[in-house]
């Protein structure tokens, strides 16, 4: 109930904040974003109910199939004439009136695949370098396809989550350290040799140096937090979302929360995410005690993913990290992200349910 309560609170508060941040964006259709957000929430909740009915054995059996299905979706995005582009990125596949973002579902498929792999190859992972390298080859391939979209933020979350799961699965420290060094080196290389990413990194270090151009988003977000002070200016009374802060209803929703509900509001949101991560790892520990290793790795993987994505999004909003373009799970406007987050919560509840049934 702690898990469901925290998720429901974030989902409900997210709907309110998306409305607050977007009603002014389209004068002739003020409820456009709110209606689409509600539709995505409804789809996510229906999908969650469906997934809750499926036993964990189903996901363990078909995890590898789902991973390669995700690879196919990532390839289809890059097919000329099929993938849809916006703001210089090609990340969506039009399906009627819905735009499918394959990278969001790939995160879900990757966690399920790695959890299954750790169960099947437990001994090989702990004693053999090859046992560690094999899943990383596939994961790096998936990340390469995501980077071609390009989507640096999703790549970072997917890789970090997978590495965390492999570490929890028993990968020796020295192998893990070598891969971390390699991954960091590769990411640094990507940043250095990509002018717009290098600009993002240097801008976040000092947004005021170019406040009218590359530092504009972060500067406006920091102003929003500053205006909010302790208790905020009140719901709907924020100024930054109206005239200054771009993407207020998506990537920078936390800045709107900071302005309208102050430090207290932001801390409540952070605490709700902490509850989700805490319950995920408690469920994982419970599964481990019962010998349900797939369930354990799956719950821990979901906890890592939700915690990392929330941390990165909030970190970007407060200037702790470079701009990544990641949504705040369960809250930000973005149909695919919202739907997948609902599915993750459903799977966590299913794990808890099956563990209870096994007692």
């Amino acid at each position: 109930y702690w898990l469901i309560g925290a998720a429901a609170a974030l989902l409900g508060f997210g709907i309110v904040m998306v409305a607050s941040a977007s009603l002014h964006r389209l004068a002739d259709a003020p409820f456009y974003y709110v209606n689409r957000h509600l539709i995505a929430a409804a789809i996510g909740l229906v999908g969650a109910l469906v997934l809750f009915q499926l036993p964990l054995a189903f996901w363990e059996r078909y995890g590898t199939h789902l991973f390669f299905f995700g690879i196919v979706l990532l390839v289809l995005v890059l097919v000329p004439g099929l993938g849809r582009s916006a703001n210089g990125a090609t990340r969506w596949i039009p399906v009627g009136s819905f735009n499918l973002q394959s990278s969001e579902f790939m995160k879900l498929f990757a966690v399920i695949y790695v959890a299954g792999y750790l169960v099947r190859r437990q001994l090989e992972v702990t004693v053999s370098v090859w046992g560690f390298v094999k899943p990383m080859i596939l994961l790096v391939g998936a990340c390469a396809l995501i980077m071609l979209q390009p989507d640096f933020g999703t790549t970072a979350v997917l890789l970090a989550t997978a590495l965390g799961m492999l570490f929890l699965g028993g990968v020796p420290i020295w192998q893990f350290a070598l891969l971390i060094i390699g991954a960091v080196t590769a990411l640094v290389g990507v940043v250095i040799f990509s002018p717009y990413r290098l600009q993002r990194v240097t801008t976040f270090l000092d947004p005021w140096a170019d406040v009218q151009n590359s530092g504009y988003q972060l500067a406006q977000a920091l102003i929003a937090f500053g205006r909010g002070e302790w208790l905020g200016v009140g719901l709907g009374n924020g100024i930054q979302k109206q005239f200054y802060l771009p993407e207020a209803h998506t990537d920078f929703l936390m800045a709107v929360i900071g302005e309208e509900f102050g430090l207290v509001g932001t801390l409540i949101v952070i605490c709700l995410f902490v509850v989700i991560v805490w319950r995920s790892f408690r469920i994982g520990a419970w599964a481990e005690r019962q010998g349900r290793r797939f369930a354990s790795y799956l719950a821990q993987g979901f906890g890592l993913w939700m915690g990392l994505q929330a941390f990165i999004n909030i970190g970007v909003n407060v200037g702790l990290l470079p701009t990544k373009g990641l949504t705040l799970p369960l809250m930000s406007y973005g149909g695919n992200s919202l739907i997948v987050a609902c599915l993750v919560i459903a799977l966590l509840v299913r794990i808890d349910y099956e563990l209870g049934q096994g007692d």
Side-chain angles (χ1 to χ4, degrees), residues 10-322:
L10 288 171
L11 184 63
F13 190 37
I15 292 171
V16 172
M17 293 313 302
V18 166
S20 176
S22 66
L23 288 178
H24 66 282
R25 293 180 65 86
L26 299 174
D28 56 339
F31 291 95
Y32 174 81
Y33 293 104
V34 180
N35 290 336
R36 291 179 67 87
H37 191 73
L38 287 170
I39 291 170
I43 294 172
L45 292 174
V46 171
L49 291 174
V50 173
L51 260 62
F52 177 76
Q53 306 303 318
L54 297 175
L56 291 180
F58 171 86
W59 303 105
E60 187 172 5
R61 185 179 305 116
Y62 294 106
T64 304
H65 299 78
L66 289 171
F67 183 84
F68 283 104
F69 175 65
I71 293 288
V72 171
L73 291 178
L74 292 177
V75 172
L76 290 177
V77 171
L78 302 173
V79 175
L82 186 57
R84 176 180 172 272
S85 300
N87 298 325
T90 305
R91 301 176 183 173
W92 302 271
I93 302 173
V95 182
S97 60
F98 181 76
N99 291 312
L100 177 69
Q101 188 174 355
S102 55
S103 58
E104 285 292 336
F105 288 89
M106 191 65 207
K107 287 186 287 188
L108 176 62
F109 299 155
V111 171
I112 295 171
Y113 164 71
V114 173
Y117 180 85
L118 288 172
V119 173
R120 296 190 303 271
R121 305 288 183 177
Q122 180 71 46
L123 182 62
E124 189 178 359
V125 166
T126 56
V127 301
S128 167
V129 174
W130 181 237
F132 179 41
V133 170
K134 278 192 294 186
M136 290 309 304
I137 293 174
L138 293 176
L139 290 166
V140 168
C143 288
L145 291 172
I146 296 173
M147 286 297 293
L148 290 175
Q149 296 180 5
D151 191 346
F152 187 79
T154 297
T155 301
V157 170
L158 194 156
L159 264 184
T161 301
L163 287 172
M165 292 178 68
L166 289 167
F167 178 74
L168 292 172
V171 170
I173 294 291
W174 68 270
Q175 293 181 23
F176 191 76
L178 285 177
L179 190 63
I180 288 291
I181 293 171
V184 170
T185 302
L187 291 176
V188 169
V190 167
V191 169
I192 291 176
F193 292 106
S194 180
Y196 90 93
R197 291 196 184 96
L198 182 60
Q199 185 183 50
R200 283 187 173 187
V201 171
T202 55
T203 296
F204 108 92
L205 295 173
D206 185 11
W208 310 106
D210 190 11
V211 74
Q212 294 298 329
N213 190 13
S214 58
Y216 182 78
Q217 280 185 308
L218 179 54
Q220 299 305 322
L222 294 176
I223 291 171
F225 282 110
R227 290 192 75 247
E229 299 186 356
W230 286 97
L231 298 175
V233 297
L235 177 62
N237 293 328
I239 299 298
Q240 294 302 109
K241 67 186 182 185
Q242 297 184 29
F243 307 108
Y244 306 105
L245 187 62
E247 309 301 330
H249 59 310
T250 55
D251 304 347
F252 284 88
L253 189 69
M254 195 65 174
V256 180
I257 295 172
E259 183 178 11
E260 299 190 353
F261 288 91
L263 178 64
V264 172
T266 59
L267 289 178
I268 289 173
V269 171
I270 291 170
C271 287
L272 290 171
F273 278 111
V274 169
V275 169
I276 289 178
V277 176
W278 164 57
R279 294 310 302 172
S280 299
F281 277 88
R282 282 294 298 271
I283 291 170
W286 188 17
E288 183 69 28
R289 288 195 295 270
Q290 290 194 17
R292 303 283 297 275
R293 288 192 296 139
F294 176 75
S296 176
Y297 294 135
L298 197 61
Q300 291 168 349
F302 288 149
L304 283 170
W305 167 12
M306 297 290 281
L308 279 169
Q309 185 159 331
F311 173 79
I312 292 173
N313 178 275
I314 296 170
V316 167
N317 274 249
V318 299
L320 183 65
L321 296 170

